[in-house]
Amino acid sequence: ALKPLNTGLVKIGYGNYISPFAELYVNSKRQKNYSIGIAAQHHSSFGKIKNRLNQKIYSGYDDSNIEAFGKKIFAKSVLSGKVYFSSNGINYYGYDPKVYGNTDTINWDTFDYVDTRDEVEKQRFNRVGANMTFESQQTGRKHWNYKFGAGYQYFFTKTKDWQHKVDVVANIGRSVKNVGYGLDIDYLFNANKMAAYPNPNALIGTIGGLPPKMSSLNDMYLNAKPYFRFENEKWQIRAGANFCFELLNKENTFYIYPDVYAQLNISNTLIPYVSYGGHLQTNNLEFISTINPFVNSYESYHNTSYQHEANLGLKAIISKKIYLHIIANYSHINNMAFFVNDTTIPLHNKFKMEYMDVDRVGAYAELSMRELAPGLDIMLKAHYYYYIKLGDPTVLNSPKIADAHPWQMPDLDVSLRAAYRLTNKISFGLEGYFLNRCYAKEFVAGVQYAKKMKAVVDVNLFGEYKFDDNFSAFLYLNNIACQRYYIWNNYRAQGFNALVGLTYMF
């Protein structure tokens, strides 16, 4: 008989910086033909941190989301879908008082977007949407396999920006013996409305500036990806292309990206591979805010084309417990977006995008060790990037821009996670992150300079104690070295913080 499954989980916690945390997950019992469930999470903070002059400033945030999902299982196919809502609130607390003056001397009443010295302008990003997928569930090689999906999302902000997004996917393919072929189609339509200043220099040297006006921008993308695939015990080969049509601001652009992959299995131990491809990244406020929420919504966006991406990789199964994956990469990227401080606002505490054409080489390494010792798992990952050229996207084949840097992008990042199960009741572990130094673009008295940001070292501890199979307590100790590091220029992260709570499964 199958072991009974838990159908739900409740997790609650509380931390310093006035930080409540809650998580709920409920799923139907095991059924043959369907499953339904709901999930919800909330994490917020209402604390203050010290800036460069040791003044306490409010740095609160809140992240909440809830979704309901379901699946209907038929004899040869599956129908699934979900509806969701999420809300993320932030505060633009990242200004440098050494550059913009001691906040004690600022007349905050003259800033129409500041309520008090401790509560600067807020922003909130909201998303509500639904999607549905219908796909085949047939394992026979002679059958046609298919997947059809559709989704809708409404995105809106505190500053009255909004976006309607519709996406449709259709994938169909077939395998006969060792040969497969098919076609993937993706369609995306965005209707955007965002605030835009009538004069891009309207705020320079002013306090409140001119009131924004609303501008509309519709964009549409159609991707068609035919492919051919061959597989046997030794080889995996895929050859295809991505034909991408873009309609942006009433201007059309057509891209052709290759899609080539070849992998050789050497004795099920060493698996070298090569790939060559590309893709188009659609940049807009909805997407960019997931990377850097401190972006200025009054921004114009351009898409990024990863025109050439070449990878040489090796997967190595060293033993049953140790797995290694390494990759060497070359990328030619048009209109790559970098975050720089927006000088059109008095405190420079929001970011805008600066675009450059990039030639970049990089490397990636991942080492996974499972049950290295009884109960011990270790995962180590590292990325390295070297920028050969940072050119002007408005000039064809432009040389490297003098004094340009990959703004806010470290050339090395390393992450380590180690988890140890001491007994059936006690487990604990460590997470560590290292980001090498990077540069921020700043202006002081109208003069541009490259500000070197310090490297980031963040070490966290976690632990869990099980009272029984269904009830446990957890503890997270974050930034145990109390480092004053910056996640973005002038945006200091919270110092040492602890979160303690309980988990109950039912």
Side-chain angles (χ1 to χ4, degrees):
L2 294 175
K3 182 180 178 180
L5 296 177
N6 292 311
T7 58
L9 174 147
V10 176
K11 194 172 184 178
I12 57 172
Y14 187 82
N16 60 330
Y17 292 98
I18 316 176
S19 303
F21 170 84
E23 181 177 344
L24 170 68
Y25 177 86
V26 180
N27 197 68
S28 59
K29 294 183 178 181
R30 183 184 284 119
Q31 302 288 340
K32 181 179 180 181
N33 298 323
Y34 74 92
S35 68
I36 56 174
I38 61 170
Q41 297 87 27
H42 172 83
H43 190 200
S44 57
S45 176
F46 301 92
K48 299 179 181 180
I49 61 173
K50 290 184 179 180
N51 63 16
R52 296 182 190 274
L53 294 181
N54 286 323
Q55 301 163 325
K56 287 188 175 182
I57 54 176
Y58 182 69
S59 61
Y61 64 87
D62 63 88
D63 298 317
S64 302
N65 65 81
I66 184 170
E67 65 179 54
F69 50 87
K71 179 187 296 185
K72 174 64 177 175
I73 304 172
F74 302 98
K76 298 181 179 180
S77 58
V78 175
L79 177 66
S80 59
K82 72 175 181 179
V83 295
Y84 60 89
F85 170 77
S86 69
S87 183
N88 311 101
I90 56 100
N91 293 267
Y92 294 105
Y93 66 91
Y95 58 89
D96 188 345
K98 289 185 177 180
V99 175
Y100 309 114
N102 189 317
T103 54
D104 290 330
T105 66
I106 293 179
N107 180 9
W108 291 103
D109 294 334
T110 63
F111 290 85
D112 58 2
Y113 55 80
V114 174
D115 298 322
T116 70
R117 168 182 159 176
D118 296 323
E119 191 173 357
V120 296
E121 184 186 7
K122 297 176 180 293
Q123 178 62 290
R124 181 166 296 280
F125 305 103
N126 304 289
R127 295 169 177 84
V128 58
N131 59 55
M132 183 172 292
T133 302
F134 183 66
E135 58 187 314
S136 61
Q137 191 172 258
Q138 301 180 93
T139 57
R141 286 185 173 270
K142 294 184 179 181
H143 296 290
W144 284 95
N145 293 303
Y146 54 84
K147 179 179 180 180
F148 304 105
Y152 167 77
Q153 178 181 268
Y154 177 54
F155 167 79
F156 57 103
T157 74
K158 185 177 182 292
T159 48
K160 310 300 182 183
D161 315 280
W162 55 256
Q163 178 196 77
H164 295 284
K165 179 168 71 175
V166 176
D167 60 278
V168 179
V169 298
N171 313 131
I172 186 167
R174 189 185 185 195
S175 296
V176 179
K177 294 184 177 180
N178 295 332
V179 175
Y181 50 90
L183 175 66
D184 299 338
I185 297 177
D186 304 310
Y187 171 81
L188 175 65
F189 175 77
N190 295 318
N192 306 279
K193 181 161 283 191
M194 64 197 78
Y197 287 110
N199 178 354
N201 298 317
L203 288 184
I204 295 181
T206 70
I207 298 298
L210 300 177
K213 65 178 183 179
M214 303 305 291
S215 67
S216 298
L217 174 66
N218 296 334
D219 50 306
M220 185 270 288
Y221 309 92
L222 179 63
N223 294 277
K225 307 172 186 176
Y227 66 86
F228 168 86
R229 185 176 62 242
F230 172 81
E231 294 183 17
N232 62 18
E233 293 182 356
K234 290 287 185 182
W235 288 96
Q236 287 188 21
I237 299 174
R238 184 182 69 244
N242 178 8
F243 301 93
C244 177
F245 174 77
E246 170 193 51
L247 179 60
L248 177 63
N249 200 20
K250 299 182 180 180
E251 295 184 0
N252 6 351
T253 310
F254 184 69
Y255 303 89
I256 300 179
Y257 300 108
D259 179 17
V260 178
Y261 180 89
Q263 173 181 296
L264 174 63
N265 187 344
I266 303 175
S267 303
N268 295 320
T269 302
L270 296 177
I271 307 175
Y273 66 90
V274 294
S275 68
Y276 176 51
H279 70 279
L280 183 68
Q281 176 181 293
T282 57
N283 298 323
N284 51 50
L285 178 61
E286 189 275 331
F287 172 73
I288 293 298
S289 66
T290 63
I291 302 173
N292 182 351
F294 306 109
V295 67
N296 194 341
S297 61
Y298 310 139
E299 173 65 283
S300 58
Y301 299 93
H302 305 282
N303 292 331
T304 300
S305 175
Y306 287 75
Q307 197 67 37
H308 304 285
E309 291 183 291
N311 294 291
L312 176 62
L314 175 67
K315 304 172 187 177
I317 305 173
I318 299 173
S319 71
K320 293 182 179 179
K321 298 179 179 181
I322 302 176
Y323 170 78
L324 175 67
H325 187 189
I326 55 176
I327 305 172
N329 166 269
Y330 166 79
S331 299
H332 174 74
I333 308 167
N334 294 330
N335 273 336
M336 188 172 184
F338 299 92
F339 292 102
V340 298
N341 290 85
D342 190 347
T343 59
T344 65
I345 55 178
L347 296 181
H348 299 193
N349 59 340
K350 298 180 185 178
F351 294 90
K352 64 178 183 179
M353 313 304 294
E354 182 172 292
Y355 297 89
M356 290 185 276
D357 289 344
V358 169
D359 284 328
R360 184 183 71 185
V361 293
Y364 170 77
E366 174 184 326
L367 179 63
S368 174
M369 294 173 281
R370 302 288 185 182
E371 292 289 327
L372 189 62
L376 177 63
D377 296 332
I378 298 176
M379 174 70 76
L380 177 65
K381 298 180 181 179
H383 292 88
Y384 172 75
Y385 301 105
Y386 177 75
Y387 293 82
I388 302 172
K389 186 185 81 168
L390 295 165
D392 185 345
T394 64
V395 178
L396 185 64
N397 298 321
S398 69
K400 185 172 182 177
I401 302 174
D403 300 322
H405 294 274
W407 309 115
Q408 306 272 292
M409 297 284 287
D411 58 6
L412 175 66
D413 65 82
V414 181
S415 66
L416 169 68
R417 178 182 171 87
Y420 181 60
R421 187 177 63 257
L422 181 63
T423 68
N424 290 335
K425 291 182 175 293
I426 301 174
S427 60
F428 53 87
L430 174 147
E431 290 180 338
Y433 303 92
F434 171 79
L435 301 177
N436 200 20
R437 294 179 177 180
C438 63
Y439 291 89
K441 185 178 182 179
E442 279 204 341
F443 289 85
V444 178
V447 178
Q448 174 188 329
Y449 78 102
K451 171 184 174 181
K452 183 178 288 188
M453 298 179 64
K454 293 182 178 180
V456 172
V457 179
D458 190 353
V459 180
N460 312 311
L461 301 176
F462 60 89
E464 181 183 37
Y465 179 81
K466 287 188 175 183
F467 300 101
D468 57 38
D469 290 341
N470 296 331
F471 187 46
S472 62
F474 64 86
L475 173 66
Y476 298 99
L477 301 176
N478 301 317
N479 194 3
I480 60 174
C482 303
Q483 296 295 300
R484 286 192 175 191
Y485 66 84
Y486 288 78
I487 47 179
W488 299 103
N489 186 33
N490 298 328
Y491 278 92
R492 214 201 96 192
Q494 293 178 344
F496 170 77
N497 60 94
L499 178 68
V500 61
L502 300 170
T503 303
Y504 177 69
M505 294 185 291
F506 55 89

